[in-house]
Amino acid sequence: MGEQSLSQPKPQPLSPSPPASTASPAPAPAPAAAASTSTSSSPAIAAASRPKKAAHRPSDSNPPKKPRLTFAIPGRPLSAAGEVGVAIRHLRDADPVLAAVIDAHDAPVFQCPHRPFHSLVRSILYQQLAFKAAASVYSRFLSLLGGEASVTPDAVLALTPQQLRQIGVSPRKASYLHDLARKYVSGILSDSAIINMDDRSLAAMLTMVKGIGAWSVHMFMIFSLARPDVLPSADLGVRKGVQMLYELEDVPRPSQMDKLCERWRPYRSVGAWYMWRLIESKVPQPAPAIPVGPLALPSPDGQIMLHEQHQQQQQQQQQNVIQMIDPLQMLPGMGIIGVVGSIRDLITRRPKLLISD
């Protein structure tokens, strides 16, 4: 992620104060004092005093340096030819521990077919929904507008909350979509401006949109803009992956992530991607289909009750695993959705067993 630094001017050496014994003669002010006694009532006194003020001004040839904010310019996008390979080579050399994870997985692909506005709209639609439900809402949204090519700020702004509610978009999400579209129509945001902004400025601008927080901005910068150096330090999946990678006792806090992942710069986006893959690889494998209770249960009612108990346990296990990286389901087709899908399939396809107390 682009870094913001405060460039401080170099400290200028101070001239040493003259000793008290040498300050008393004051040869330079002597003529001025004589002139003042001879022309005590002359208007030249005011004129003579002006050069003294000017003497305290800095020279025009060496103006004082003022602190100014500087931003790192984003590197080549990861979607550029060969850039992922460059990133992987850097990560291998910089972090031998991560190199083992890289060797165990295929290289990532960072390609997004949509414009920034379209990607932001879709991310809002996918928020807080299961993947299938979100995909259904998104499909109806495209049908309402007339296809992907029609996802424009003007078209979204023209949709009423009632129309959006009919396709499953809540009033709150409708307000998010309209706020994003208004900022585009008013010129506050644009696709070209988003593409050319540095990471820090982009985060500041996008979080002004209702419904878009820091996590959404990080996902957008990684998977839609293919920014190379974005570390989603608050993402639980990435934090859990770092814990597993370095065998830490506890899940690192967001404030600790920058230091732990410092060696990944300037390709922390790729490092984060491998943390999601590491989480995927650590999901427990399906247990063998061996009954753990009696094959024959005394009554159908008891069988149904036990089956429901097992389903509850299974759902709880699924939730415990998915909650770390499930938010990525809002980014379909951006290279990481296989993580969520494979984990969900792995758990939901586990044979349903009849268990007893």
Side-chain angles (χ1 to χ4, degrees):
M1 192 171 186
E3 296 296 320
Q4 182 183 31
S5 62
L6 189 64
S7 59
Q8 298 287 352
K10 296 181 179 179
Q12 300 296 332
L14 298 175
S15 301
S17 301
S21 59
T22 59
S24 56
S36 62
T37 56
S38 61
T39 58
S40 58
S41 60
S42 172
I45 297 177
S49 63
R50 293 193 189 99
K52 293 182 181 179
K53 294 182 179 179
H56 295 284
R57 294 177 188 150
S59 172
D60 292 339
S61 61
N62 188 24
K65 296 180 180 179
K66 296 181 179 180
R68 57 192 177 91
L69 297 177
T70 60
F71 297 94
I73 299 175
R76 294 183 67 207
L78 294 170
S79 55
E83 194 63 18
V84 170
V86 173
I88 289 177
R89 287 193 293 272
H90 168 79
L91 293 173
R92 284 182 188 277
D93 295 339
D95 192 345
V97 180
L98 180 60
V101 180
I102 293 174
D103 293 338
H105 299 91
D106 294 333
V109 176
F110 296 90
Q111 296 289 341
C112 179
H114 301 118
R115 302 182 311 277
F117 177 77
H118 190 148
S119 296
L120 290 169
V121 166
R122 186 168 62 178
S123 71
I124 291 174
L125 290 173
Y126 271 78
Q127 287 177 2
Q128 307 299 322
L129 291 178
F131 180 76
K132 289 184 179 180
S136 178
V137 171
Y138 176 67
S139 177
R140 293 195 295 267
F141 177 80
L142 294 180
S143 298
L144 182 62
L145 287 180
E148 291 188 345
S150 300
V151 182
T152 63
D154 289 327
V156 172
L157 198 56
L159 296 175
T160 66
Q162 291 75 19
Q163 288 177 301
L164 291 170
R165 189 177 184 84
Q166 288 176 355
I167 63 171
V169 178
S170 68
R172 177 173 294 182
K173 279 191 181 180
S175 70
Y176 297 165
L177 294 172
H178 286 158
D179 188 58
L180 173 65
R182 274 193 296 268
K183 284 180 169 56
Y184 262 79
V185 171
S186 65
I188 296 176
L189 291 174
S190 67
D191 284 350
S192 59
I194 286 175
I195 291 172
N196 293 312
M197 280 184 197
D198 63 87
D199 292 348
R200 187 66 62 89
S201 300
L202 179 58
M205 292 298 293
L206 289 182
T207 51
M208 292 171 56
V209 180
K210 294 179 181 178
I212 296 181
W215 185 90
S216 297
V217 172
H218 288 158
M219 298 301 104
F220 172 73
M221 287 196 292
I222 294 174
F223 295 106
S224 183
L225 301 183
R227 294 285 175 94
D229 195 34
V230 179
L231 178 65
S233 56
D235 183 89
L236 182 57
V238 177
R239 292 163 55 202
K240 185 66 177 177
V242 169
Q243 181 196 18
M244 292 181 178
L245 181 68
Y246 298 124
E247 298 181 349
L248 304 177
E249 184 176 350
D250 300 314
V251 177
R253 298 187 301 272
S255 59
Q256 298 174 312
M257 291 291 289
D258 277 339
K259 184 176 181 180
L260 289 169
C261 304
E262 178 66 25
R263 66 185 69 183
W264 298 351
R265 291 179 186 270
Y267 295 106
R268 291 180 297 173
S269 299
V270 181
W273 189 90
Y274 277 109
M275 293 302 95
W276 285 311
R277 301 298 293 185
L278 178 60
I279 289 293
E280 176 192 20
S281 67
K282 298 299 182 180
V283 174
Q285 297 299 312
I290 300 176
V292 294
L295 295 178
L297 297 176
S299 67
D301 292 340
Q303 196 175 60
I304 293 174
M305 180 186 67
L306 294 173
H307 179 66
E308 289 177 350
Q309 289 175 353
H310 174 65
Q311 280 187 320
Q312 291 175 359
Q313 294 178 359
Q314 189 180 36
Q315 290 172 357
Q316 182 62 43
Q317 179 190 12
Q318 176 180 354
Q319 182 63 28
N320 291 339
V321 176
I322 295 297
Q323 66 180 355
M324 293 187 295
I325 55 177
D326 198 46
L328 293 174
Q329 66 189 4
M330 63 176 275
L331 299 163
M334 294 187 184
I336 193 63
I337 290 309
V339 176
V340 175
S342 60
I343 293 178
R344 180 174 284 112
D345 290 345
L346 184 64
I347 296 174
T348 55
R349 291 176 183 175
R350 180 175 178 174
K352 296 180 178 179
L353 307 179
L354 296 178
I355 60 175
S356 62
D357 296 336

